[in-house]
Amino acid sequence: MGIRFILMVNKQGQTRLAQYYEWLTLEERRALEGEIVRKCLARNEQQCSFVEHRNYKIVYRRYASLFFLVGVDNDENELAILEFIHLLVETMDRHFGNVCELDIMFHLEKAHFMLEEMVMNGSIVETSKANILSPIQLMDKAS
Amino acid sequence: MGSQGGFYQSKEFLDLVKSIGEARSKAEEDRIVLNEIETLKRRISEPDIPKRKMKEYIIRLVYIEMLGHDASFGYIHAVKMTHDDSLLVKRTGYLAVTLFLNEDHDLIILIVNTIQKDLKSDNYLVVCAALNAVCKLINEETIPAVLPQVMELLAHPKEAVRKKAIMALHRFYQKSPSSVSHLVSNFRKRLCDNDPGVMGATLCPLFELIARDVNSYKDLVISFVSILKQVAERRLSKAYDCHQMPAPFIQIKLLKILALLGSGDKQASENMYTVVGDIFRKCDSSSNIGNAVLYECICCVSSIYPNPKLLESAADVISRFLKSDSHNLKYMGIDALGRLIKISPEIAEQHQLAVIDCLEDPDDTLKRKTFELLYKMTKSTNVEVIVDRMIDYMISISDNHYKTEIASRCVELAEQFAPSNQWFIQTMNRVFEHAGDLVNIKVAHSLMRLIAEGFGEDDDNADSKLRSSAVESYLRILGEPKLPSVFLQVICWVLGEYGTADGMFSASDITGKLCDVAEAYSNDETVKAYATTALMKIYAFEIAARRKVDMLPECQSLMEELLASHSTDLQQRAYELQAVIGLDAHAVECIMPSDASCEDIEVDRDLSFLNDYIQEAIEKGAQPYIPESERSGMLNISNFRNQDHHEASSHGLRFEAYELPKPALQSRIPQALIASTEIVPVPEPMYPRESYQTTMPSIPSDAGSAELKLRLEGVQKKWGRPTYTPATSTSNSTSQKTVNGTSQGDGASTVSSMRETYDSRKPQVEVSHEKQKLAASLFGGSSKTEKRPATGHKAAKASSHMVEKSHVPKSSMEVASDKAASAQQPPNLLDLGEPTATSTALQLDPFKQLEGLLDTTEVASAVNGAPAASVSPDIMALYVDTAAGIHNKNDADLLSGLSNPSVTNMPGTTAMPQVTQSSSKRPNPKDSLEKDALVRQMGVNPSSQNPNLFKDLLG
């Protein structure tokens, strides 16, 4: 499975984007988000960017006010996931230009579309920014 | 694109987002969202909403759910939006639907049709959107509806479509492997897609397929190696580069795959050495992604057949990781070290200090990782320090999940490497005291078993010392307030069994304590039950020793209370106790022999002692017994079920595509049924007869355990009159059992008898476990080391500076097989809480069946094609079943083994390497077979040198 979920949370702990690759009910999501956001936000810069939680790991990275959290299986390569987060941010940056929290909020569906291109079935399937963005740009043009 | 939204976002939407963004507390956010829900509920069902507006509403719904509130009132509108012509609107609809619905939601049916239509669209972006939805929304039942189209799309001219189609097929495989098992060769084909993106995506399903069945993909080693080589040589488009690393994510995936394929396979590994060595050299260790690839290389190197040069490179990288200031790299270093020490234990030594630093680090993540490493490095020389540390840490944390894990690890290590019994008991006491209720109940049972069996040394003296020290410590611990229930159960059991054994404590001491326990934990019935049975044992031993029994007053009042208890279990135990006390010494000795918890209790599952009797009856013209499952009429029932099944599925969903994937439908019929319908019919009538004659003695265990699940085939059902036969024999068997029953009074004493049945069952169960065990014994524990690593340093800290590095020789083989053996340990003893009841039922059942059916044999045997003349056709039938089942498996394996290579047509792979590889693999299976034999042996005699009972907790 690899990736179980991807969350974007601001530093107040408010969810800005959530994508799950295994089904959780609304209550489960709420509980899980509360739990791990609390855990990750409490950590400082020097500590590792990985947190073990139940039977999986969370790899997280902070960009300005926004935390990107990715829940992965235990045998996933943490550094690679860290790089994946960076790739996601770079991609959004390329599309929005200096991406910020508000860009994601106002264009939630686009952020999701990018994720849809990058990750399927919990596996990373596309890492070329051009390939990730081309369908979105085509759609923009069409409408 | 400004951050303030595009042209078509309404003021309302902007305001909503702003107010959510500015909310200063969760409560404020909730208020905003609840308000929004009210607004949307009103607005969304208004007629003639323009689609732009609708799209905005749907995104607002997504917000509502994302912030933790229910938006189900709007799901249907999201579904409707997927019908829209505009691509953007459609895709937003699909997105919302995938976020809102799980694959079993009722509304999915409404979407399947749209998906089918969109998969045929000329616009490839529409097709992509539909394929995204397929990956998230299609469940096992709806796979057939879209499968043919997805298959067509695998050859679509657009690479984006091919990629998504592959992932859709991957999803089907994850959901229901059997429905696409005939299509997995497509993954191999797509591996040589011209587009690197498609190839990269194909690695995901291939990784999973290979993880499940390595051997069928050994022929791809060369291809993977050559792809990896090309990637490393920057032959792929620059678009895939990350920080000057060529396609690192593809490299990582390939390294993961190679690690699987090369594991324990020398020849396959040899193909990989060069390319992995190249990557080690080329990787840029200053970037994060470079280190990610390096780490993956280490994982690969430590998984494949060892190569000294690569190990050296790996060790270099590890030491660089550990020396780095970055906690992330330290973490990876510790993890990598844990992998590598299995192969080259000596490298741990040079990193002692770094490891200790990580252990003391305030960062919890790093600390835990280091504990994991220590756990892997534990030897009998360092077990005390490590376990001590672990328990201290366990006490300090509050996360129950991790507490449980670390507790079971402590138990396991203590079990495996305990230097002395004293220490062992103390350690277990600490674990139970602080994490008792978190520890798996099996651990408690194993502890009891261990105290009962001793440490396996044939030294009764040591065993009884162990028990005495246990009893002593338990009596002391009982003074503490609020002990975990599991721990109390152990204490009660041990006190009952051994409390008075060494004469240190009198019966009244022990019974007094036991009564205190029962009183203090009066709302815990399990503890009370254990205490009662312990009391019974103490009194029984007293009576058997011809001592006068004086029941303490508190004990008497306890008994009075229990005799009137609402719990029938407690009541029965109390009555039993009463009955035992009333018996004379001789009788008590028989039913409650002292220190007999390890004695085997033989249960004659086949009731062979009745053979003569049955023979006689048959000679007098009685009909032989036919097991229930074979009796007539079952066919009809199973057919009904089949029909039901078909009907149900056709009721639920009707798609045109339904005719096509027959196999998918069948797959939902329980495995067992398939076996019986497809494989059994022809050979069955002949085969059993012969095998019965020749293999009679070995059958029983098979037959008993094969479970009565199959044989629903080819028999007509008719009910017969009850006959006289079983009356006497039943009473016979029960009387035999009551003897067992009483001595089994408390669950734990049946340990050994249980183990026996489990062992006899093993041959069957193993068919599936075999592979896992094989894998475990091949690479899992195969290189457990004896070298004494970093913790020597800690021992030094603990003041004994001169601790010698004594090596306790224990071959890795032994460890491996121990591990595997422990996996077979009988699970929860409480299953046997009331052995009397279960075993009676087990044995009585056949008679009931016999009763009803003595006169139906003719029909049955006619169908079987052979006149049944023996006592136990059921046994034969079952035997055949299992045989057929096994055959079936083998056949399937062979077939798949055959078909797979034949389907493939890989570039750069010819038939040649395949052949050579398979022959080169040969030594391995042989080795593993030997190991497996050993494992089995160990499983049968678990009281070996190093009883490793807890491995199974750590799957």
Side-chain angles (χ1 to χ4, degrees), chain A residues 1 12 14-21 23 26 29-30 33 39 43 46-52 54-55 57 61 75-80 82-84 86-87 90 96 100 102-110 112-113 116-117 120-121 123-129 131 134-135 138-140 143, chain B residues 1-6 9 13-14 17 20-21 23 29 52 55 59 62-63 65-70 87-88 91-92 95 99-102 124-125 132 135-136 163-164 167 170-171 174 197 204 208 239-240 243 249 252 256 288-289 291-292 295-296 327-329 331-332 363 365 368-369 399 401:
Chain A
M1 181 60 143
Q12 282 87 39
Q14 295 161 311
T15 311
R16 290 296 169 249
L17 181 145
Q19 177 63 271
Y20 289 82
Y21 296 96
W23 180 256
L26 214 54
R29 292 177 187 205
R30 203 155 43 176
E33 283 169 31
K39 252 189 186 178
R43 296 171 65 82
Q46 281 79 48
Q47 295 179 317
C48 345
S49 319
F50 323 127
V51 179
E52 286 178 24
R54 300 189 185 280
N55 50 346
K57 288 178 295 201
R61 194 159 181 169
D75 48 3
E76 205 64 27
N77 183 330
E78 291 91 341
L79 292 179
L82 220 46
E83 193 62 31
F84 163 77
H86 190 66
L87 178 68
E90 280 180 340
F96 294 116
C100 69
L102 274 181
D103 286 319
I104 297 169
M105 292 185 77
F106 282 120
H107 304 281
L108 188 61
E109 79 278 15
K110 285 206 181 118
H112 269 292
F113 292 158
E116 278 184 344
E117 298 301 320
M120 292 180 86
N121 307 342
S123 307
I124 299 170
V125 293
E126 186 57 77
T127 53
S128 146
K129 283 173 219 144
N131 285 358
S134 83
L138 282 173
M139 255 189 311
D140 274 348
S143 54
Chain B
M1 292 256 155
S3 65
Q4 295 303 302
Q9 285 176 331
F13 179 72
L14 299 184
V17 170
I20 291 174
E29 187 187 273
R52 290 254 177 266
K55 171 175 168 269
I59 291 172
V62 172
Y63 259 103
E65 289 240 320
M66 185 175 83
L67 296 174
H69 297 264
D70 177 55
L87 174 62
L88 183 63
R91 189 157 178 194
T92 308
L95 171 71
L99 291 171
F100 292 152
L101 308 182
N102 75 345
Y124 86 95
L125 290 174
N132 277 334
C135 284
K136 285 243 170 181
K163 182 173 66 193
K164 283 178 194 281
M167 292 315 280
H170 175 213
R171 184 63 174 171
Q174 287 177 329
C204 306
E208 265 169 55
Y240 290 92
H243 303 256
F249 290 95
I252 287 171
K256 273 187 198 291
N288 175 57
I289 189 65
N291 287 324
Y295 165 80
E296 207 57 57
H327 272 59
N328 286 351
L329 286 185
Y331 176 94
M332 301 310 269
D363 185 348
T365 308
R368 285 185 192 187
K369 199 73 197 172
D399 171 357
H401 181 80

Side-chain angles (χ1 to χ4, degrees), chain B residues 1 18 67-68 120 151 212 274 323 354 433 440 478 494 545 565 640 645 675-676 707 716 772 793 841 853 897:
Chain B
M1 292 256 155
K18 264 192 188 151
L67 296 174
K120 287 181 195 142
M151 292 309 295
R212 269 188 222 197
T274 329
K323 281 178 194 143
E433 221 179 308
N440 192 315
L478 274 181
V494 172
S565 167
F640 265 134
H645 231 94
S676 72
E707 287 162 29
Q716 287 283 313
Q772 295 166 9
H793 173 89
L853 286 160

Side-chain angles (χ1 to χ4, degrees), chain B residues 211-403:
Chain B
R212 269 188 222 197
D213 176 18
V214 188
N215 290 328
S216 312
Y217 292 88
K218 295 277 186 181
D219 57 305
L220 289 182
V221 170
I222 309 259
S223 316
F224 287 130
V225 167
S226 88
I227 296 174
L228 181 56
K229 190 155 172 285
Q230 292 176 46
V231 174
E233 286 168 358
R234 302 181 177 276
R235 301 274 186 80
L236 292 194
S237 136
K238 276 258 186 293
Y240 290 92
D241 285 10
C242 269
H243 303 256
Q244 279 83 51
M245 279 291 292
F249 290 95
I250 293 179
Q251 287 196 43
I252 287 171
K253 204 85 207 175
L254 281 165
L255 285 166
K256 273 187 198 291
I257 290 175
L258 291 184
L260 289 177
L261 286 168
S263 178
D265 183 338
K266 192 171 179 205
Q267 175 151 3
S269 303
E270 274 166 358
N271 290 318
M272 306 168 188
Y273 293 154
T274 329
V275 69
V276 178
D278 281 351
I279 297 176
F280 261 126
R281 244 174 294 117
K282 279 184 192 159
C283 258
D284 161 28
S285 60
S286 61
S287 72
N288 175 57
I289 189 65
N291 287 324
V293 176
L294 282 174
Y295 165 80
E296 207 57 57
C297 283
I298 301 174
C299 295
C300 182
V301 164
S302 53
S303 164
I304 63 177
Y305 192 89
N307 170 287
K309 258 183 94 181
L310 290 180
L311 289 174
E312 209 175 288
S313 316
D316 288 348
V317 175
I318 289 178
S319 69
R320 214 173 52 232
F321 280 2
L322 287 173
K323 281 178 194 143
S324 150
D325 286 334
S326 150
H327 272 59
N328 286 351
L329 286 185
K330 277 189 183 160
Y331 176 94
M332 301 310 269
I334 294 278
D335 183 274
L337 189 58
R339 290 168 190 269
L340 211 63
I341 52 167
K342 284 188 274 177
I343 300 169
S344 37
E346 67 284 352
I347 76 156
E349 218 131 349
Q350 50 178 316
H351 299 304
Q352 287 176 23
L353 285 174
V355 171
I356 299 304
D357 281 348
C358 293
L359 191 66
E360 320 252 279
D361 198 282
D363 185 348
D364 227 34
T365 308
L366 200 50
K367 200 178 254 185
R368 285 185 192 187
K369 199 73 197 172
T370 315
F371 270 118
E372 208 177 294
L373 172 69
L374 292 185
Y375 162 75
K376 286 179 190 159
M377 309 198 311
T378 307
K379 311 281 164 302
S380 44
T381 44
N382 58 18
V383 64
E384 287 169 85
V385 199
I386 291 181
V387 171
D388 227 47
R389 281 251 172 179
M390 281 173 128
I391 295 180
D392 285 344
Y393 181 62
M394 178 189 85
I395 295 170
S396 76
I397 57 173
S398 55
D399 171 357
N400 274 356
H401 181 80
Y402 194 62
K403 216 170 183 164

Side-chain angles (χ1 to χ4, degrees), chain B residues 667-693:
Chain B
S667 73
R668 292 190 293 115
I669 303 167
Q671 210 54 275
L673 215 65
I674 295 180
S676 72
T677 43
E678 290 183 356
I679 297 145
V680 183
V682 185
E684 170 223 314
M686 320 293 293
Y687 190 60
R689 190 135 304 280
E690 289 155 19
S691 67
Y692 173 56
Q693 242 108 44

